[in-house]
Amino acid sequence: MKKIAIVNGPNLNRLGVREPEIYGSKSLADLETQLLNMVTPEEAELEFFQSNHEGSLIDFISGFEDDNGSGIIINPGALTHTSLALRDAIAGLSLPVVEVHISNIYRREQIRQHSLTAPACVGVISGLGFAGYSAALNYLLEHLDQEPG
Ligand code: CA2
């Protein structure tokens, strides 16, 4: 049984509340429904986690691997651009991690155009809105237990 975590970092609990012009008008609960509708319980178990705290995110992803997790989709929020600790935690995992950004970070302010966490991930999807999470989930469903590609 595949076990996939969808992890969202700081402020993503505010999705749908503010800045709809950048992040859309849907909430984190809408995202969960969208992803749950993509899988049957026999196909994969999805676990959702959001935190505004760097250490909690690090504890969750390492605990998820210890708990027989198969893959992770992560939107580290602004920690993408600042957290060497989160990058180290991702790099220390043996399961595949896909980084997702709702907005296209390469079209935004310069400070957002560099991801510290991306080099530790198998791939990055940026700018496709919630569809990026679905694409990441499709990738993991197809490629878990296989070589990247
Ligand atoms: O585009 C993304 O998904 C980001 O990871 C979102 C982060 C931002 O710091 C990254 O540069 C790109 C910010 C998430 C904040 O989300 C909010 C949503 C609604 C209201 C307030 C914040």
Side-chain angles (χ1 to χ4, degrees), residues 8-20 22-24 26 74-81 99-105 108-109 111-114 125-127 129 133:
N8 283 288
N11 297 311
L12 286 156
N13 56 318
R14 305 282 291 159
L15 277 176
V17 178
R18 279 181 34 221
E19 303 194 89
I22 303 176
Y23 302 117
K26 291 188 190 156
I74 188 165
N75 182 345
L79 292 173
T80 305
H81 320 295
E99 179 169 314
V100 170
H101 297 286
I102 297 166
S103 63
N104 181 349
I105 59 172
R108 300 190 62 190
E109 311 97 293
I111 198 168
R112 293 185 201 276
Q113 292 177 16
H114 184 251
I125 302 169
S126 182
Y133 290 87

Side-chain angles (χ1 to χ4, degrees), residues 46-103:
L46 303 187
E47 195 170 326
F48 296 91
F49 182 75
Q50 188 278 327
S51 177
N52 294 325
H53 305 280
E54 185 178 35
S56 303
L57 293 163
I58 291 169
D59 288 345
F60 176 83
I61 64 170
S62 47
F64 184 72
E65 171 153 283
D66 296 343
D67 213 15
N68 294 317
S70 334
I72 295 177
I73 298 166
I74 188 165
N75 182 345
L79 292 173
T80 305
H81 320 295
T82 61
S83 179
L84 200 51
L86 186 55
R87 178 219 189 106
D88 287 346
I90 296 170
L93 301 175
S94 56
L95 49 74
V97 179
V98 182
E99 179 169 314
V100 170
H101 297 286
I102 297 166
S103 63

